[in-house]
């Protein structure tokens, strides 16, 4: 076992047998090109996967040692310890030798890249290229101990990904019970949100709140021309699948400059299409949990792809990418809070990195209960817009469900569901039938109208005079093909799905945002 010693930049004098004699921590390369089998140098010389003492797999031994981690053994943690915490299903790394040989400085690894999030408790594990379907440890736990105990015992570790695939693992892995205890120590109630006022988790700013979003005026400007609207009811281009219930009930909204509605935003994600183009994926999102955080659906940043061969030009080779939820290549994302059409009252908030729910990335799953992601913004846009609370102020609000399990609540959803000419238009909907008592699960079925760009749209309720995001929309489910069609749709829709931000998902989200 090799224990990492302080790196040279910390001002220490490395011993002969410590990291300084094994690795160059400016280039993350081994000292010397070969070493006898069984020696310390052999663990780092061939730049193979290593498993650290904290059960994190690193692309090479020098990456682990230069970040003060202890090497347990050579090879992936899953190769030796089948119970090791997994970041994905046998994900693959781009070889560091290929990265160093690639053209372009943007592809290179430097100390600034590797240590980018060190002060926030993350280590750089490598540039991920994906994973394969392997034994599902969570399923095995459920089979042997039951669903509830499996959720309680499973240890989760989030990863933070930046454009290009550079991936950072959080050093701290926890069960949900450990997360709850840690949050309690910080003064944040495990049964909801803050246990103390003045926390960054408190929704901001209630004093200027407006009880309903601003509808689009009957006369408005678009493309520097005056337009007239016969009515404010949504009339969407139906080029993408929709789930609309009891007729269209969304209302066109103008740009939002009142809280909480200005905390909802239009999300634009550019990415490489592999053919020299940069298409744009459009979703909805929120500023939530703090001024520098946001929430949206994980699938906005990923694509569910089959196993395939892909030519990687900068690696000058063809590699096999396995099936799973893959990050969009070289993505670049911006959230425009309060936007409606081309009016952007708060400009863009650039997304610096994302943390996808554990169990989603690189896995062949469509579990909508974990189809969420935390966005990190480069600037604290929430200082301008305010931000939504996440979860509920106290789970005492769910006490009514013991007597009335079918209890429903007033809720709002704001989204950018249009296609074609409507793709940047904000719509809002207020429903009184939100299944409030289903918030104890990681997903909830609802009947807010939805289609394409509504993925990631926040669903909020008002509790204790504040607005709280309790879920985010992420999918629609087709109903019985033989049933009478909805008046606007060719295929009937049974319900829409949202990932909840209460209970299990809340603990993970709070742990991420609580750094």
């Amino acid at each position: 076992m090799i224990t990492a010693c302080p790196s040279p930049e910390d001002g220490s004098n490395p011993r002969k047998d410590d990291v300084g004699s094994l690795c160059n921590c400016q280039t993350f390369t081994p000292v010397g090109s070969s070493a006898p089998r069984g020696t310390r140098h052999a663990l780092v010389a061939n730049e193979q996967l290593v498993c650290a003492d904290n059960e994190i797999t690193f692309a090479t031994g020098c990456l682990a040692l230069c970040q003060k981690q202890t090497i347990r053994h050579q090879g992936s943690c899953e190769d030796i310890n089948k119970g090791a915490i997994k970041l994905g299903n046998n994900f693959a790394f781009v070889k560091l030798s290929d990265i160093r040989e690639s053209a372009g400085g943007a592809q290179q690894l430097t100390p600034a890249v590797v240590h980018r999030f060190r002060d926030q408790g993350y280590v750089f594990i490598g540039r991920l290229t994906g994973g394969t379907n392997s034994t599902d440890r969570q399923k095995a736990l459920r089979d042997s101990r039951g669903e509830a105990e499996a959720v309680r015992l499973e240890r989760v570790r989030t990863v933070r990904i930046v454009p290009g695939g550079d991936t950072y693992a959080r050093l701290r892995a926890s069960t949900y019970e450990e997360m709850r205890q840690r949050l309690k120590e910080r003064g944040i109630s495990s049964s909801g949100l803050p246990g103390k006022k003045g926390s960054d988790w408190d929704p901001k700013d209630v004093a200027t709140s407006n009880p309903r979003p601003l509808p689009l005026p009957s006369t408005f400007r678009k493309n520097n021309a005056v337009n007239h609207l016969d009515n404010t009811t949504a009339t969407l281009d139906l080029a993408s699948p929709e789930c609309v219930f009891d007729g269209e009930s969304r209302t066109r909204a103008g740009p939002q400059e009142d809280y909480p509605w200005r905390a909802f935003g239009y999300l634009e994600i550019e990415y490489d299409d592999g053919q020299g183009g940069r298409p744009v994926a459009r979703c909805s999102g929120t500023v939530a949990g703090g001024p520098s955080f946001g929430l949206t659906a994980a699938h906005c940043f990923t694509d569910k792809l089959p196993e395939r061969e892909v030519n990687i030009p900068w690696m000058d080779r063809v590699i096999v990418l396995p099936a799973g939820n893959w990050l969009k290549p070289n993505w670049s994302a911006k959230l425009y809070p309060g936007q409606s059409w081309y009016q952007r009252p708060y400009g863009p908030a650039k997304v610096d990195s994302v943390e996808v729910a554990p169990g989603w990335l690189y896995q062949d799953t469509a579990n909508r209960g974990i189809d969420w992601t935390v966005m990190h913004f480069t600037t604290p846009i929430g200082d301008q817009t305010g931000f939504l609370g996440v979860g509920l102020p106290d789970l005492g609000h769910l006490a009514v469900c013991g007597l009335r399990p079918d209890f429903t609540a007033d809720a709002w959803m704001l989204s950018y569901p249009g296609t074609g000419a409507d793709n940047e238009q904000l719509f809002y909907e207020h429903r009184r039938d939100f299944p409030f008592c289903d918030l104890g699960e990681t997903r909830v079925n609802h009947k807010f109208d939805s289609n394409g760009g509504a993925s990631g749209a926040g669903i909020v309720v008002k509790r204790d005079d504040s607005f709280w995001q309790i879920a985010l929309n992420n999918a629609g489910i087709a109903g019985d093909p033989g049933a009478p069609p909805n008046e606007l749709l060719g295929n009937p829709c049974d319900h829409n799905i949202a990932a909840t931000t209460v209970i299990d998902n809340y603990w993970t989200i709070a742990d991420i945002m609580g750094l």
Side-chain angles (χ1 to χ4, degrees), residues 140-201:
L141 267 174
R142 290 193 181 102
D143 291 345
S144 63
R145 303 187 181 184
E147 181 83 18
E149 190 174 3
V151 170
R152 183 176 62 82
L153 293 176
E154 179 72 0
R155 293 173 67 82
V156 296
R157 187 196 304 278
T158 58
V159 292
R160 189 168 180 174
I161 308 107
V162 302
D166 287 346
T167 302
Y168 302 80
R170 200 169 187 206
L171 283 171
R172 187 166 56 195
S174 310
T175 65
Y176 290 119
E177 294 297 328
E178 290 169 339
M179 290 182 186
R180 292 174 65 184
Q181 181 59 35
R182 195 156 56 240
L183 294 171
K184 183 177 180 180
E185 292 170 356
R186 293 184 54 245
I188 298 177
S189 168
S190 64
S191 62
L193 263 184
K196 61 180 182 180
K197 296 298 180 184
S199 163
D200 280 347
W201 283 84

Side-chain angles (χ1 to χ4, degrees), residues 81-94:
N81 179 7
K82 296 301 181 183
I85 300 163
K86 295 185 290 187
L87 303 177
N89 277 348
N90 290 342
F91 48 84
F93 290 102
V94 175

